[in-house]
Structures are given as structure tokens and as C-alpha cells.
Amino acid sequence: MQHQSRQTNRNLRNPYSKKLRSSRLRLLSTLFIICLMLISILYVLATHASVINNNSNASDNGLIHEIIKTPSSSSEGIKQGKYSISGDKIVEAQAQAPVIAYAISLTSCAETPSLIDGAAVLKHSIHLSSIRNQNQNPHGNSQYDYQMYAIVHHNAKSCQPLIEKLGYKTMLVDVPVQVNDIQGDFLRENVVKNGCCGELEFIKLWAYTLVDHPFVVHLDLDTVVLQPMDELFNAALSGDSTTKVMKKDSVMWEDQRKVYNDSSSTSTKHSQIDAFFTRDYNMVRSGKTPVGVQGGFIVLRPSMEAFEEYKTIIREGDFQRGKGW
């Protein structure tokens, strides 16, 4: 009887059952988690409000931070070529900068996702190496702005809206010379089977028609720009003869520049530079010359006269097997 009384008293002193205690613990845990979530939400809202306030201040100062990152004070200058531009003059400098055209060519939409990704990455790399990215490129500032172009063949017309959304101006074109109009038999019969795109590669020549720009850089979509190319543009637009430019600027390999400068050929006495290009050594037979131009990268001076001249060359079709043009 005494044992039963002690057990009864213990139950009276502990009125909560195990089930009730477990429910209470779950309730406390839930409340704790809710408190943590509320704290996190408040922190995010406070941070977002701070960002909005900063952007509002930037707009009030007339600065476009998403396009150009300016120094924190107007007294901090930006070195651009021979000039030092203060922070409050950057937007004005960008507006006055020469605009280089950067062009790509689209012959098909067969690989649309990777094509669009490549176009976006290429444009971003060009932006990072332009005047719009002052003081951010480790290779130095550029004094040139850019405009993106896409030369689109009719076969790739479905890609046109997607490319335009990325900020490209598009040119819907056909090949400059129809295959049936090519007079040379070998070229006419074999050009359609050449490389990735056959005669559609010729649409790159439409880059010569972008005469509103001082120079055009045509690039393939598997390339990126790592640093400003001002040295090339400065050399071509300086007004100096090619011979003088080659002596003072390293725009050629050193050994080739020496041959160029020492040559007595009249071909070295042109009045201006009209193009820069690289050689496609992967496409040449060992020991054979000349080495062709790599079509994935070419810097050219736009000219309707040059465009028509290239059309005439293709139409004549004087292309010899194993030798080229």
C-alpha cells in the first residue's frame, strides 16, 4: 500500500505525459525556425534597400554604373592614350570615342543554344576591352567604343531575333556571288563542299560594307577578346604610311617586320593600312607557300570598292587546286 501511494504522488507531481512534452518541444523548435527565417528576410530586405539607395544616388549624379564604372571622385583621373580624363568626363569621352564594328557571321541555326552562348560571351569580352570598362581591364584602358553586328544568312533567319536580344545589329544577307555565276570550273564545282559552310563563308565579305565605322573586326563565335586592340587601330588610323608604322609599332612578328622594313619592293610603300590578319598554318601543306588567311579573325578597313573587288575575284573563280587564288 505504501508503494502504491508513492507512485500516485509521483504522478500527481508530474501532470504532463510524455506525449505532451514531445508536442511542446516540437512547438518550441518550430517557433525557433520561424524566428530565424524572419531575421533572414529582414536582412535581405535591408540589403536590397541599401542597393536601391546607392543606385538612386548614382542616377542623381548622372552616372550609368551598369555601363561604365567611374572613379569614386572626380579628382581621380583615367589615363586614355595620351590624355588623362577625370571621372566626371568619362561619359563625354565615351560619346566621342571612335566606334569599332565587331561582326560575326551566322550561316545556320543548327546549334542554337551554343551559338547564342558564344555570341553572348564574345560580346561581353569585347565590352570588357572597350572604353565602357575603364579602369577594370588589367591590360589597360581602351579609347575605342564598339558596336556588335551579326551578318545573318537567310538559312539562319530564325536565329535573328535571339541575336538581336543580345544587342547585335543584324544584316540579313545572301552570298555576295551565286555559285552558278562563278566562271572558274574548279571553284564552282568544289566551293560548296569546302569547310564547314561551303560558299556561305563568303557572307563574311559583307563586313566591308560597314562603312559607318573606321574599322571592322570580324570574329568567329569560338573566340574571345582578352585585351584592348588599340595598338592595331592606332596604327591603322594614325595617317602614317605603312612603312613608318611598321618601324615604330609592334603590330607584326619581329622577324616579319624586319623583312617588311628591309624590302625594296614597291608593295611596302602603301599610303595606309587596310587590314590586319593572321595566317592559317594548320591549313597549309608542309613547306608550301603562300599560307592562307585565318578567317576566324580579321581586322579590316570597310570599303565598298574593296567589297566589289572581292566579288569580281570570286566571280572570275581563278582558284587553283593546291595553290589557291
Side-chain angles (χ1 to χ4, degrees):
M1 178 66 72
Q2 185 176 3
H3 174 73
Q4 292 177 350
S5 177
R6 286 198 300 272
Q7 183 67 34
T8 302
N9 292 337
R10 188 180 297 112
N11 290 336
L12 290 173
R13 290 193 301 269
N14 186 18
Y16 299 105
S17 66
K18 291 183 179 180
K19 184 175 181 180
L20 289 174
R21 288 199 301 272
S22 177
S23 299
R24 187 177 184 183
L25 288 174
R26 285 198 298 270
L27 177 61
L28 290 174
S29 299
T30 302
L31 290 174
F32 179 73
I33 293 172
I34 292 173
C35 288
L36 289 178
M37 293 176 64
L38 288 173
I39 292 172
S40 300
I41 292 171
L42 290 174
Y43 175 78
V44 170
L45 290 175
T47 304
H48 184 64
S50 175
V51 171
I52 292 175
N53 185 54
N54 289 339
N55 286 341
S56 176
N57 292 337
S59 298
D60 292 341
N61 292 330
L63 303 179
I64 307 174
H65 282 263
E66 291 184 358
I67 299 179
I68 306 174
K69 295 183 178 180
T70 63
S72 57
S73 66
S74 60
S75 61
E76 182 179 353
I78 287 180
K79 188 176 182 182
Q80 180 181 330
K82 298 180 180 179
Y83 306 97
S84 179
I85 303 178
S86 59
D88 57 355
K89 295 292 185 180
I90 294 178
V91 175
E92 180 182 352
Q94 180 186 343
Q96 297 176 354
V99 181
I100 303 298
Y102 286 83
I104 61 173
S105 293
L106 304 181
T107 59
S108 170
C109 293
E111 299 179 358
T112 300
S114 58
L115 182 152
I116 299 301
D117 289 346
V121 171
L122 175 58
K123 182 194 173 187
H124 184 63
S125 72
I126 292 169
H127 175 85
L128 294 180
S129 295
S130 74
I131 194 173
R132 305 188 199 185
N133 192 45
Q134 292 291 358
N135 279 1
Q136 302 299 315
N137 194 305
H139 298 286
N141 296 320
S142 173
Q143 58 182 311
Y144 294 92
D145 201 356
Y146 70 92
Q147 174 61 56
M148 304 301 300
Y149 287 90
I151 304 170
V152 182
H153 188 267
H154 290 287
N155 291 351
K157 186 177 180 179
S158 61
C159 297
Q160 191 173 2
L162 298 175
I163 289 293
E164 289 176 345
K165 287 183 178 179
L166 294 177
Y168 285 76
K169 290 185 177 181
T170 58
M171 305 165 57
L172 191 62
V173 302
D174 199 353
V175 290
V177 177
Q178 297 297 320
V179 174
N180 291 337
D181 294 334
I182 297 175
Q183 299 170 15
D185 293 339
F186 180 81
L187 182 63
R188 183 179 64 254
E189 295 169 2
N190 291 276
V191 68
V192 294
K193 301 178 289 184
N194 183 64
C196 70
C197 315
E199 79 283 7
L200 301 187
E201 287 274 12
F202 290 147
I203 69 171
K204 292 180 179 180
L205 293 175
W206 286 101
Y208 275 97
T209 67
L210 297 173
V211 293
D212 290 336
H213 300 274
F215 255 78
V216 181
V217 182
H218 191 287
L219 296 162
D220 280 353
L221 281 175
D222 57 356
T223 60
V224 293
V225 175
L226 300 179
Q227 64 187 64
M229 291 186 280
D230 288 33
E231 188 174 14
L232 299 182
F233 306 140
N234 291 341
L237 300 175
S238 65
D240 294 333
S241 66
T242 54
T243 302
K244 184 177 180 180
V245 169
M246 291 304 111
K247 287 181 177 179
K248 68 178 182 180
D249 289 333
S250 56
V251 293
M252 295 176 67
W253 293 111
E254 185 176 353
D255 57 339
Q256 295 182 14
R257 188 165 66 252
K258 185 177 185 303
V259 172
Y260 185 96
N261 290 328
D262 292 345
S263 174
S264 60
S265 171
T266 57
S267 63
T268 66
K269 295 179 173 55
H270 298 299
S271 60
Q272 65 180 15
I273 297 174
D274 289 325
F276 297 98
F277 58 89
T278 56
R279 298 287 187 182
D280 196 349
Y281 290 98
N282 292 329
M283 298 295 290
V284 69
R285 295 180 182 178
S286 178
K288 299 292 184 180
T289 57
V291 181
V293 174
Q294 221 300 325
F297 168 79
I298 184 167
V299 183
L300 58 91
R301 186 188 299 272
S303 164
M304 291 304 300
E305 182 180 352
F307 178 65
E308 294 298 330
E309 182 177 356
Y310 276 115
K311 288 171 61 177
T312 299
I313 292 173
I314 295 172
R315 191 176 293 108
E316 291 176 353
D318 186 14
F319 187 95
Q320 302 178 36
R321 183 178 189 137
K323 294 183 179 180
W325 302 97

